[in-house]
Amino acid sequence: RKRNFAEVVLTQRRSLNETSDVHWKQCESRVNSRQECTSICQPERNSIQRKTMHQACLHGCQMAHVASTALGCRGKEEPKKSPRTEVSEEDAMQEIGVMAFDHCSKFQGVEPKPDVFATCRKYHRAGTKQGFRMGTDAMKNVLDEEWAGIKVEQ
């Protein structure tokens, strides 16, 4: 198996603030936001305004899921601090949550008002929570696998 990790010799498992673009891409590629949101939005397929509600659900969920997965995989870069810091689920909910209005604004005038817009925002929250958890789990697995491979070679 080909390894594209940094050439440094590790004496212990890498932490999030030591990850690189290679790790982030591996992490993000392990999460299928479309598949997850299709599952999360399944109940909306049976709603009265089925097509519209389902579209609002998928849109809100996927926009948030992709963004929160990236946050879970990459952590947060803060000026004047260490290169990357881990983010709590609460921080992720706040950081991605503020985007809900913008992400869902296209449903603001859609009938039945305000139900479609509210559905988008509701599943934006669900997508944020699930995406962040999946991103942090995926990064943990990427780093665990890297470390396991190094230990085998030693």
Side-chain angles (χ1 to χ4, degrees):
R1 184 172 102 167
K2 184 179 176 186
R3 287 201 356 233
N4 293 325
F5 298 110
E7 291 79 31
V8 298
V9 176
L10 295 177
T11 57
Q12 64 184 20
R13 183 182 173 273
R14 191 184 305 267
S15 67
L16 182 67
N17 65 355
E18 300 169 321
T19 57
S20 68
D21 194 49
V22 172
H23 295 99
W24 304 332
K25 286 178 181 173
Q26 278 192 344
C27 177
E28 291 168 12
S29 72
R30 293 179 182 209
V31 178
N32 185 335
S33 294
R34 178 174 294 182
Q35 181 180 334
E36 285 302 314
C37 287
T38 298
S39 175
I40 289 169
C41 292
Q42 192 61 37
E44 292 302 326
R45 291 193 71 134
N46 303 322
S47 68
I48 295 168
Q49 296 285 330
R50 184 180 80 230
K51 184 177 181 190
T52 306
M53 291 296 202
H54 190 244
Q55 286 173 345
C57 178
L58 286 173
H59 180 80
C61 181
Q62 287 179 1
M63 295 293 283
H65 202 283
V66 169
S68 62
T69 295
L71 193 56
C73 286
R74 295 171 182 251
K76 187 174 183 178
E77 191 169 22
E78 297 194 37
K80 300 178 184 168
K81 287 193 176 182
S82 65
R84 296 245 162 227
T85 56
E86 287 189 53
V87 178
S88 70
E89 187 172 307
E90 183 180 339
D91 291 339
M93 293 298 284
Q94 287 179 337
E95 188 158 323
I96 306 300
V98 298
M99 297 180 206
F101 186 86
D102 288 340
H103 286 166
C104 295
S105 63
K106 74 182 214 172
F107 292 101
Q108 205 166 9
V110 176
E111 294 290 340
K113 292 189 232 179
D115 297 349
V116 178
F117 183 60
T119 295
C120 181
R121 291 183 68 163
K122 172 184 173 183
Y123 288 100
H124 191 276
R125 284 188 296 278
T128 299
K129 190 173 193 175
Q130 185 68 9
F132 180 74
R133 288 179 179 173
M134 293 184 80
T136 54
D137 288 348
M139 181 53 83
K140 179 185 177 304
N141 291 337
V142 166
L143 297 177
D144 286 348
E145 289 169 16
E146 176 189 41
W147 180 237
I150 289 168
K151 287 194 313 190
V152 166
E153 292 173 4
Q154 290 176 345

